[in-house]
Amino acid sequence: MTRTLTAAAHYFALVFAVGFGLGPVRVLLLEPMVGNTVAVLIEAPFMLAAIVWAARYVSRRMQISHVLPDLLVMGGGAAVLILLADFAIGLPLRGITMADQFNYLVTPAGRLYLVLVAILALAPVVLARRRA
């Protein structure tokens, strides 16, 4: 179980690093030109690629078994960490309140973000099943 939780932390860290790098590009460069929703749509394929790569890399590198509970802990743990990091780091950086963040989640861009978080949670399961 410890290895699985460590894998979740590594998986989170890799995906978060990509998102942290792409975030300023999206917010400062793309959003003023094309709006929030289109900017998130442009960013989404890069995040999806990062999720798939990180899920494969971490599960192979840390030798996570293809047992469903281990894969769910890895993906679900990373998803929880992403949500926590977005609230803990994202809110102060963007200067918004918790209410603003929850209101954002019901917008088209916010829904896409939630879809990506769900994909983050399920990618280890889907990719392991596909490989087997």
Side-chain angles (χ1 to χ4, degrees):
M1 181 60 112
T2 302
R3 185 181 352 189
T4 307
L5 292 173
T6 303
H10 284 255
Y11 179 36
F12 150 76
L14 291 170
V15 173
F16 184 76
V18 172
F20 196 76
L22 290 175
V25 173
R26 184 192 75 237
V27 171
L28 300 174
L29 184 68
L30 293 175
E31 281 183 14
M33 292 186 334
V34 297
N36 186 34
T37 301
V38 173
V40 171
L41 284 169
I42 291 169
E43 179 189 43
F46 297 101
M47 290 306 302
L48 183 58
I51 289 167
V52 169
W53 172 80
R56 286 182 177 155
Y57 177 79
V58 171
S59 63
R60 286 180 185 155
R61 176 129 178 146
M62 300 201 67
Q63 299 175 343
I64 300 302
S65 69
H66 290 146
V67 178
L68 185 61
D70 288 347
L71 297 167
L72 288 173
V73 167
M74 180 181 149
V80 168
L81 290 171
I82 283 284
L83 292 170
L84 290 173
D86 279 348
F87 281 101
I89 297 169
L91 296 179
L93 282 178
R94 291 179 290 184
I96 62 173
T97 66
M98 193 78 98
D100 293 334
Q101 179 66 14
F102 284 118
N103 288 332
Y104 170 75
L105 294 177
V106 297
T107 67
R111 288 186 189 129
L112 181 56
Y113 165 78
L114 291 174
V115 167
L116 287 169
V117 172
I119 291 170
L120 175 76
L122 297 174
V125 175
V126 172
L127 294 170
R129 299 281 181 213
R130 195 166 172 225
R131 244 188 355 224

